[in-house]
mmCIF file of all heavy atoms in Angstrom:
data_model
loop_
_atom_site.group_PDB
_atom_site.id
_atom_site.type_symbol
_atom_site.label_atom_id
_atom_site.label_comp_id
_atom_site.label_asym_id
_atom_site.label_seq_id
_atom_site.Cartn_x
_atom_site.Cartn_y
_atom_site.Cartn_z
ATOM 1 N N PHE A 382 16.563 12.643 -9.085
ATOM 2 C CA PHE A 382 17.425 11.463 -9.123
ATOM 3 C C PHE A 382 18.540 11.568 -10.157
ATOM 4 O O PHE A 382 19.497 10.790 -10.118
ATOM 5 C CB PHE A 382 16.596 10.170 -9.231
ATOM 6 C CG PHE A 382 16.137 9.765 -7.862
ATOM 7 C CD1 PHE A 382 15.022 10.358 -7.284
ATOM 8 C CD2 PHE A 382 16.874 8.876 -7.103
ATOM 9 C CE1 PHE A 382 14.634 10.051 -5.987
ATOM 10 C CE2 PHE A 382 16.500 8.558 -5.802
ATOM 11 C CZ PHE A 382 15.376 9.145 -5.249
ATOM 12 N N PHE A 386 22.277 9.979 -9.997
ATOM 13 C CA PHE A 386 22.714 9.088 -11.088
ATOM 14 C C PHE A 386 23.565 9.831 -12.116
ATOM 15 O O PHE A 386 23.580 9.473 -13.294
ATOM 16 C CB PHE A 386 21.489 8.463 -11.779
ATOM 17 C CG PHE A 386 20.569 7.705 -10.850
ATOM 18 C CD1 PHE A 386 19.220 7.577 -11.134
ATOM 19 C CD2 PHE A 386 21.054 7.108 -9.686
ATOM 20 C CE1 PHE A 386 18.369 6.874 -10.280
ATOM 21 C CE2 PHE A 386 20.218 6.401 -8.829
ATOM 22 C CZ PHE A 386 18.867 6.290 -9.131
ATOM 23 N N PHE A 395 25.242 4.834 -5.035
ATOM 24 C CA PHE A 395 23.943 5.096 -4.422
ATOM 25 C C PHE A 395 23.127 3.800 -4.332
ATOM 26 O O PHE A 395 22.619 3.444 -3.265
ATOM 27 C CB PHE A 395 23.167 6.154 -5.208
ATOM 28 C CG PHE A 395 21.783 6.359 -4.675
ATOM 29 C CD1 PHE A 395 21.584 7.019 -3.471
ATOM 30 C CD2 PHE A 395 20.676 5.860 -5.345
ATOM 31 C CE1 PHE A 395 20.304 7.180 -2.950
ATOM 32 C CE2 PHE A 395 19.399 6.014 -4.832
ATOM 33 C CZ PHE A 395 19.218 6.681 -3.635
ATOM 34 N N MET A 399 21.916 1.803 -1.037
ATOM 35 C CA MET A 399 20.542 1.429 -0.694
ATOM 36 C C MET A 399 20.478 -0.075 -0.420
ATOM 37 O O MET A 399 19.804 -0.543 0.490
ATOM 38 C CB MET A 399 19.593 1.754 -1.865
ATOM 39 C CG MET A 399 19.378 3.222 -2.114
ATOM 40 S SD MET A 399 18.532 4.006 -0.729
ATOM 41 C CE MET A 399 19.787 5.102 -0.168
ATOM 42 N N GLY A 426 9.988 1.730 -7.228
ATOM 43 C CA GLY A 426 11.257 2.364 -6.856
ATOM 44 C C GLY A 426 12.106 1.368 -6.092
ATOM 45 O O GLY A 426 12.781 1.708 -5.116
ATOM 46 N N GLY A 427 12.094 0.123 -6.537
ATOM 47 C CA GLY A 427 12.678 -0.985 -5.779
ATOM 48 C C GLY A 427 14.189 -1.100 -5.853
ATOM 49 O O GLY A 427 14.776 -1.948 -5.195
ATOM 50 N N ALA A 428 14.833 -0.282 -6.679
ATOM 51 C CA ALA A 428 16.309 -0.257 -6.791
ATOM 52 C C ALA A 428 16.850 -1.662 -7.103
ATOM 53 O O ALA A 428 16.496 -2.238 -8.114
ATOM 54 C CB ALA A 428 16.936 0.381 -5.564
ATOM 55 N N HIS A 431 16.053 -5.709 -3.163
ATOM 56 C CA HIS A 431 16.229 -6.471 -1.916
ATOM 57 C C HIS A 431 14.905 -6.706 -1.189
ATOM 58 O O HIS A 431 14.694 -7.750 -0.592
ATOM 59 C CB HIS A 431 17.239 -5.786 -0.991
ATOM 60 C CG HIS A 431 16.919 -4.344 -0.758
ATOM 61 N ND1 HIS A 431 15.991 -3.949 0.157
ATOM 62 C CD2 HIS A 431 17.364 -3.219 -1.365
ATOM 63 C CE1 HIS A 431 15.879 -2.623 0.110
ATOM 64 N NE2 HIS A 431 16.708 -2.152 -0.808
ATOM 65 N N PHE A 448 9.868 -2.357 -10.128
ATOM 66 C CA PHE A 448 9.535 -1.217 -10.993
ATOM 67 C C PHE A 448 10.454 -0.062 -10.603
ATOM 68 O O PHE A 448 10.536 0.303 -9.427
ATOM 69 C CB PHE A 448 8.070 -0.828 -10.774
ATOM 70 C CG PHE A 448 7.597 0.332 -11.602
ATOM 71 C CD1 PHE A 448 6.946 0.124 -12.812
ATOM 72 C CD2 PHE A 448 7.781 1.642 -11.178
ATOM 73 C CE1 PHE A 448 6.486 1.189 -13.574
ATOM 74 C CE2 PHE A 448 7.330 2.726 -11.942
ATOM 75 C CZ PHE A 448 6.683 2.489 -13.141
ATOM 76 N N ASP A 449 11.154 0.510 -11.573
ATOM 77 C CA ASP A 449 12.036 1.652 -11.268
ATOM 78 C C ASP A 449 12.327 2.378 -12.572
ATOM 79 O O ASP A 449 11.870 1.959 -13.657
ATOM 80 C CB ASP A 449 13.340 1.169 -10.585
ATOM 81 C CG ASP A 449 13.931 2.220 -9.628
ATOM 82 O OD1 ASP A 449 14.195 3.354 -10.090
ATOM 83 O OD2 ASP A 449 14.145 1.917 -8.438
ATOM 84 N N LEU A 450 13.073 3.464 -12.484
ATOM 85 C CA LEU A 450 13.466 4.232 -13.676
ATOM 86 C C LEU A 450 14.304 3.334 -14.595
ATOM 87 O O LEU A 450 14.997 2.428 -14.112
ATOM 88 C CB LEU A 450 14.276 5.461 -13.247
ATOM 89 C CG LEU A 450 13.508 6.448 -12.343
ATOM 90 C CD1 LEU A 450 14.471 7.486 -11.760
ATOM 91 C CD2 LEU A 450 12.383 7.136 -13.122
ATOM 92 N N VAL A 453 17.854 2.390 -13.740
ATOM 93 C CA VAL A 453 17.999 1.566 -12.529
ATOM 94 C C VAL A 453 17.630 0.118 -12.845
ATOM 95 O O VAL A 453 18.292 -0.819 -12.367
ATOM 96 C CB VAL A 453 17.138 2.142 -11.385
ATOM 97 C CG1 VAL A 453 17.209 1.252 -10.156
ATOM 98 C CG2 VAL A 453 17.599 3.556 -11.058
ATOM 99 N N GLY A 470 9.787 2.437 -15.651
ATOM 100 C CA GLY A 470 8.852 3.549 -15.827
ATOM 101 C C GLY A 470 8.993 4.578 -14.727
ATOM 102 O O GLY A 470 9.868 4.463 -13.863
ATOM 103 N N ASP A 471 8.081 5.558 -14.804
ATOM 104 C CA ASP A 471 8.049 6.668 -13.846
ATOM 105 C C ASP A 471 6.764 6.513 -13.036
ATOM 106 O O ASP A 471 5.669 6.558 -13.598
ATOM 107 C CB ASP A 471 8.056 7.976 -14.654
ATOM 108 C CG ASP A 471 7.972 9.204 -13.771
ATOM 109 O OD1 ASP A 471 7.469 9.113 -12.633
ATOM 110 O OD2 ASP A 471 8.409 10.279 -14.239
ATOM 111 N N PHE A 472 6.908 6.320 -11.716
ATOM 112 C CA PHE A 472 5.698 6.033 -10.930
ATOM 113 C C PHE A 472 4.768 7.236 -10.767
ATOM 114 O O PHE A 472 3.648 7.097 -10.299
ATOM 115 C CB PHE A 472 5.996 5.345 -9.593
ATOM 116 C CG PHE A 472 7.053 5.969 -8.700
ATOM 117 C CD1 PHE A 472 7.117 7.319 -8.460
ATOM 118 C CD2 PHE A 472 7.978 5.131 -8.053
ATOM 119 C CE1 PHE A 472 8.078 7.867 -7.610
ATOM 120 C CE2 PHE A 472 8.950 5.669 -7.207
ATOM 121 C CZ PHE A 472 8.992 7.047 -6.999
ATOM 122 N N PHE A 473 5.215 8.427 -11.166
ATOM 123 C CA PHE A 473 4.316 9.587 -11.133
ATOM 124 C C PHE A 473 3.475 9.691 -12.407
ATOM 125 O O PHE A 473 2.484 10.410 -12.438
ATOM 126 C CB PHE A 473 5.111 10.884 -10.963
ATOM 127 C CG PHE A 473 5.734 11.027 -9.598
ATOM 128 C CD1 PHE A 473 7.114 11.164 -9.465
ATOM 129 C CD2 PHE A 473 4.954 11.040 -8.452
ATOM 130 C CE1 PHE A 473 7.695 11.301 -8.210
ATOM 131 C CE2 PHE A 473 5.528 11.181 -7.189
ATOM 132 C CZ PHE A 473 6.899 11.316 -7.071
ATOM 133 N N GLY A 486 9.676 1.365 -0.527
ATOM 134 C CA GLY A 486 10.700 1.445 0.511
ATOM 135 C C GLY A 486 11.522 2.705 0.301
ATOM 136 O O GLY A 486 12.114 2.898 -0.757
ATOM 137 N N ARG A 487 11.548 3.540 1.313
ATOM 138 C CA ARG A 487 12.316 4.798 1.247
ATOM 139 C C ARG A 487 11.955 5.616 0.005
ATOM 140 O O ARG A 487 12.824 6.156 -0.676
ATOM 141 C CB ARG A 487 13.819 4.504 1.267
ATOM 142 C CG ARG A 487 14.278 4.050 2.632
ATOM 143 C CD ARG A 487 15.735 3.757 2.685
ATOM 144 N NE ARG A 487 16.071 2.507 2.050
ATOM 145 C CZ ARG A 487 17.272 1.934 2.125
ATOM 146 N NH1 ARG A 487 18.226 2.522 2.786
ATOM 147 N NH2 ARG A 487 17.517 0.783 1.534
ATOM 148 N N ILE A 488 10.663 5.664 -0.313
ATOM 149 C CA ILE A 488 10.188 6.472 -1.437
ATOM 150 C C ILE A 488 9.492 7.714 -0.893
ATOM 151 O O ILE A 488 9.804 8.837 -1.296
ATOM 152 C CB ILE A 488 9.197 5.669 -2.316
ATOM 153 C CG1 ILE A 488 9.868 4.401 -2.853
ATOM 154 C CG2 ILE A 488 8.647 6.541 -3.452
ATOM 155 C CD1 ILE A 488 11.058 4.613 -3.735
ATOM 156 N N ASP A 491 11.374 10.819 0.105
ATOM 157 C CA ASP A 491 12.132 11.578 -0.910
ATOM 158 C C ASP A 491 11.386 12.813 -1.426
ATOM 159 O O ASP A 491 12.000 13.681 -2.045
ATOM 160 C CB ASP A 491 12.389 10.695 -2.151
ATOM 161 C CG ASP A 491 13.380 9.571 -1.878
ATOM 162 O OD1 ASP A 491 14.182 9.700 -0.934
ATOM 163 O OD2 ASP A 491 13.335 8.571 -2.618
ATOM 164 N N TRP A 492 10.040 12.837 -1.253
ATOM 165 C CA TRP A 492 9.237 13.757 -2.064
ATOM 166 C C TRP A 492 8.420 14.732 -1.239
ATOM 167 O O TRP A 492 8.095 14.478 -0.082
ATOM 168 C CB TRP A 492 8.306 12.945 -2.985
ATOM 169 C CG TRP A 492 9.070 12.017 -3.876
ATOM 170 C CD1 TRP A 492 9.143 10.655 -3.749
ATOM 171 C CD2 TRP A 492 9.910 12.376 -4.974
ATOM 172 N NE1 TRP A 492 9.966 10.148 -4.730
ATOM 173 C CE2 TRP A 492 10.451 11.169 -5.497
ATOM 174 C CE3 TRP A 492 10.256 13.578 -5.596
ATOM 175 C CZ2 TRP A 492 11.321 11.149 -6.588
ATOM 176 C CZ3 TRP A 492 11.120 13.557 -6.680
ATOM 177 C CH2 TRP A 492 11.632 12.354 -7.160
HETATM 178 C C1 SAM B 147 15.843 6.197 -1.903
HETATM 179 S S1 SAM B 147 15.820 5.038 -3.212
HETATM 180 C C2 SAM B 147 15.065 3.638 -2.431
HETATM 181 C C3 SAM B 147 15.326 2.370 -3.161
HETATM 182 C C4 SAM B 147 14.710 1.107 -2.550
HETATM 183 N N1 SAM B 147 13.271 1.152 -2.512
HETATM 184 C C5 SAM B 147 15.300 0.859 -1.184
HETATM 185 O O1 SAM B 147 14.623 1.064 -0.173
HETATM 186 O O2 SAM B 147 16.468 0.457 -1.139
HETATM 187 C C6 SAM B 147 14.552 5.673 -4.278
HETATM 188 C C7 SAM B 147 14.296 4.846 -5.517
HETATM 189 O O3 SAM B 147 13.210 5.424 -6.247
HETATM 190 C C8 SAM B 147 13.514 5.398 -7.623
HETATM 191 N N2 SAM B 147 12.740 6.457 -8.292
HETATM 192 C C9 SAM B 147 12.921 7.788 -8.152
HETATM 193 N N3 SAM B 147 12.024 8.454 -8.902
HETATM 194 C C10 SAM B 147 11.269 7.517 -9.529
HETATM 195 C C11 SAM B 147 10.164 7.596 -10.429
HETATM 196 N N4 SAM B 147 9.678 8.777 -10.824
HETATM 197 N N5 SAM B 147 9.629 6.427 -10.869
HETATM 198 C C12 SAM B 147 10.131 5.228 -10.464
HETATM 199 N N6 SAM B 147 11.165 5.098 -9.599
HETATM 200 C C13 SAM B 147 11.727 6.238 -9.139
HETATM 201 C C14 SAM B 147 15.013 5.634 -7.648
HETATM 202 O O4 SAM B 147 15.579 5.249 -8.871
HETATM 203 C C15 SAM B 147 15.483 4.791 -6.472
HETATM 204 O O5 SAM B 147 15.737 3.466 -6.840
#
Side-chain angles (χ1 to χ4, degrees):
F382 277 81
F386 304 153
F395 175 73
M399 291 295 115
H431 52 81
F448 180 95
D449 210 303
L450 299 169
V453 176
D471 178 336
F472 50 45
F473 290 121
R487 288 180 285 190
I488 301 298
D491 290 337
W492 302 107

